[in-house]
Amino acid sequence: MVAFKNYVAGEWVDSSQAIVNRNPADLADVVGEYARGDKALVGRSVAAAQAAVGKWSQATPQERADALDRIGTELLARRDELGKLLTREEGKIVADGVGEVARAGAIFKFFAGEAVRLGGEKVPSVRFGVEVEIAREPVGVVGIITPWNFPIAIPAWKIAPALAYGNCVVFKPAELVPGSAWALTEIIAHSGLPAGAFNLVMGSGAEIGDTICGAAGIDAISFTGSTAVGAIVRRAVTERGARVQLEMGGKNPLVVLDDADLPNAVGCAINGAYFQTGQRCTASSRLIVTAGVHDRFVAALVERLQKLAVGPGLDPASEMGPVVSEAQLAQDQRYLAIGRDEGARLAFGGERLNRPAQGYYMAPALFTDTHNAMRINREEIFGPVASVQKVNDFDTALETANDTEYGLSSGICTRSLKYASAFKRHSRAGMVTVNLPTAGVDYHVPFGGRKNSSYGPREQGAYAREFYTAVKTSYILPI
Ligand code: ADP
């Protein structure tokens, strides 16, 4: 018997196997035991979702909007409680946990509106007397596979559009963060959806995720996670001819030019590289700085890093929580060694930190004297590790920023309209910021990248309809 069960076909389903959810800020704190699903349960949830498609896709837009609005309202009302839960399982500071739950609530409310706004087009035919209509219909059953770094916002920005446009869902959250996923499911479960329209199956990627990708009854998969797993998911899903949308890694640049507002540039770097422990796919781990401001920028950044309070996310004084897991901490530490071996200078931090409770704490790390061919500048570390590269001018900064296999977000700090505008135009990234951190974007506009960062249509905002709806063109000759 586990306390937190899977949810399939409108029923809570127990399991003899549990996922033990631990607080990375205090390993003695067990957040809860969550049911581990198996392949058979995926099969049952796919069948339940298929059976519910008829009912949910034919619900009126108002009924769908009302259900999503109820979910959004409850998330917003319970943001403090669920934000604390999120912090306990993922580690980010509680202000970010609460903010993330509020964002999830806002997303459901946005898509409640989208459910009634979804329209089609009527266009003139090239043939006499014929009427042409373009309509959008649900795709069917959507499999949703999510990572641990945004345990409620990422599920929300996939589940909300899936449901808004009339699809049914099989949802598999990351193993490290079942708590937020379960809480969201519990809210969805009493929002008035037909049984089977939404299903939760918790468990490992290799078993549950892989089975979802291969399930013939699943029409589309939306995945966010690592580039390596994204490639596996893409292969499995495209092979059987289903739709797939992937959001993966980043190695995002923040360019700082000589004419930047220095305190603002340092703030952008601290936020973009270290907040949320650097565990954001939009984190700016490459700081590309022109020579005239380089030394002053590094000095000011180190001074700010010395003051950055690392501690448990539930302590309101903490600015940065622990690393999420032992494996991630080991990866971060491995990259520190790689950087040193490559000849980079560790200008600050990187050491493991002791706090009253045992957890995965480490000091934010900054490398200087790096160049863009180094592995620390090419591979996503996904931790509180950033590196500075000194360049001579804007053109070299832009070239260096674009010299990466990734293209999720990019930023520039400058007071020059000319350079800001040129960067916006020539940056090969899906999202560009000027005098703002590369991470922490709005929820109602498209999110996504280029190159190896993303695959398929954009997520979020009205653009989400491209993935979650199928287009139908109808011709009528009224006789
Ligand atoms: P992260 O470490 O950021 O969570 P991963 O790519 O490891 O990124 O995992 C993202 C999601 O993909 C998780 O829910 C994970 O369980 C799932 N996953 C892992 N391996 C597979 C796989 N082979 N097939 C499908 N999903 C997988």
Side-chain angles (χ1 to χ4, degrees):
M1 256 277 283
V2 290
F4 301 101
K5 300 176 179 26
N6 284 307
Y7 184 68
V8 174
E11 309 276 342
W12 294 101
V13 184
D14 204 352
S15 168
S16 56
Q17 307 244 10
I19 299 167
V20 180
N21 186 0
R22 274 181 204 280
N23 183 346
D26 177 1
L27 301 183
D29 177 26
V30 173
V31 179
E33 295 202 345
Y34 292 79
R36 194 177 279 285
D38 56 19
K39 290 184 180 177
L41 196 63
V42 174
R44 275 168 61 193
S45 47
V46 175
Q50 285 182 297
V53 164
K55 231 180 184 175
W56 184 240
S57 67
Q58 280 159 37
T60 65
Q62 188 63 54
E63 283 165 339
R64 295 208 288 261
D66 288 345
L68 266 71
D69 191 61
R70 279 193 284 273
I71 297 166
T73 300
E74 185 166 347
L75 285 168
L76 287 168
R78 293 173 59 191
R79 69 175 86 172
D80 290 335
E81 168 211 342
L82 298 178
K84 274 186 198 142
L85 168 71
L86 194 162
T87 289
R88 268 178 77 206
E89 69 175 354
E90 199 271 352
K92 66 183 64 176
I93 62 168
V94 71
D96 287 340
V98 172
E100 189 180 327
V101 176
R103 181 188 183 96
I107 288 168
F108 272 95
K109 285 186 169 278
F110 175 86
F111 282 105
E114 284 299 283
V116 282
R117 267 191 295 270
L118 182 70
E121 284 177 77
K122 187 154 185 161
V123 291
S125 172
V126 293
R127 287 173 284 170
F128 182 76
V130 172
E131 294 175 5
V132 183
E133 276 174 18
I134 304 163
R136 285 181 182 272
E137 298 182 347
V139 178
V141 177
V142 181
I144 290 174
I145 300 175
T146 55
W148 48 259
N149 62 333
F150 287 94
I152 202 158
I154 294 179
W157 80 51
K158 296 178 189 295
I159 294 166
L163 293 176
Y165 300 129
N167 303 284
C168 294
V169 171
V170 176
F171 169 41
K172 190 212 95 67
E175 240 178 306
L176 284 172
V177 291
S180 302
W182 190 91
L184 176 59
T185 299
E186 199 270 328
I187 291 172
I188 294 173
H190 58 248
S191 66
L193 262 54
F198 180 83
N199 305 272
L200 168 74
V201 187
M202 298 177 280
S204 78
E207 188 179 10
I208 307 302
D210 182 69
T211 309
I212 288 175
C213 292
I218 295 191
D219 304 288
I221 301 273
S222 182
F223 165 92
T224 299
S226 62
T227 306
V229 174
I232 296 171
V233 168
R234 178 168 66 182
R235 230 171 292 131
V237 182
T238 49
E239 195 163 272
R240 62 181 185 80
R243 260 182 208 215
V244 65
Q245 171 185 60
L246 309 168
E247 289 301 339
M248 301 171 286
K251 195 68 196 172
N252 310 300
L254 177 71
V255 169
V256 179
L257 297 186
D258 286 356
D259 71 356
D261 174 324
L262 189 60
N264 181 63
V266 170
C268 289
I270 288 283
N271 180 324
Y274 301 105
F275 281 3
Q276 305 209 14
T277 320
Q279 298 172 155
R280 296 188 282 187
C281 44
T282 47
S284 41
S285 51
R286 291 189 298 139
L287 307 171
I288 300 164
V289 186
T290 46
V293 71
H294 174 273
D295 293 357
R296 278 182 295 133
F297 175 80
V298 169
L301 189 55
V302 169
E303 199 187 319
R304 178 69 182 86
L305 283 172
Q306 282 161 347
K307 294 190 203 124
L308 194 80
V310 181
L314 290 176
D315 179 346
S318 299
E319 293 176 284
M320 187 181 109
V323 174
V324 73
S325 68
E326 196 171 357
Q328 184 61 52
L329 180 63
Q331 175 163 311
D332 298 346
Q333 295 289 319
R334 204 162 50 242
Y335 273 104
L336 292 177
I338 290 169
R340 272 189 294 248
D341 289 350
E342 288 178 313
R345 189 174 81 82
L346 187 64
F348 185 81
E351 69 276 13
R352 289 204 57 175
L353 298 173
N354 288 320
R355 290 293 176 266
Q358 199 197 339
Y360 305 120
Y361 298 101
M362 82 176 247
L366 180 70
F367 281 116
T368 57
D369 303 290
T370 78
H371 57 79
N372 210 42
M374 290 177 173
R375 284 181 64 193
I376 53 167
N377 279 322
R378 302 211 80 80
E379 298 169 19
E380 187 178 49
I381 302 172
F382 221 60
V385 183
S387 55
V388 177
Q389 300 181 60
K390 187 168 20 173
V391 293
N392 283 330
D393 52 25
F394 171 77
D395 289 341
T396 322
L398 176 66
E399 197 179 304
T400 308
N402 282 336
D403 176 17
T404 167
E405 64 169 294
Y406 294 110
L408 189 57
S409 61
S410 69
I412 188 166
C413 291
T414 178
R415 281 183 281 209
S416 152
L417 181 60
K418 177 181 151 191
Y419 289 135
S421 173
F423 188 79
K424 192 157 62 79
R425 197 157 354 112
H426 298 297
S427 172
R428 290 202 290 276
M431 297 173 289
V432 182
T433 62
V434 177
N435 297 325
L436 286 165
T438 58
V441 291
D442 286 7
Y443 70 85
H444 65 306
V445 286
F447 178 97
R450 298 181 183 178
K451 300 195 259 184
N452 285 350
S453 289
S454 300
Y455 183 83
R458 286 287 185 266
E459 301 202 79
Q460 302 199 47
Y463 282 61
R465 72 175 57 156
E466 294 306 325
F467 182 73
Y468 291 100
T469 62
V471 168
K472 180 180 281 173
T473 313
S474 319
Y475 301 87
I476 308 168
L477 179 64
I479 49 173

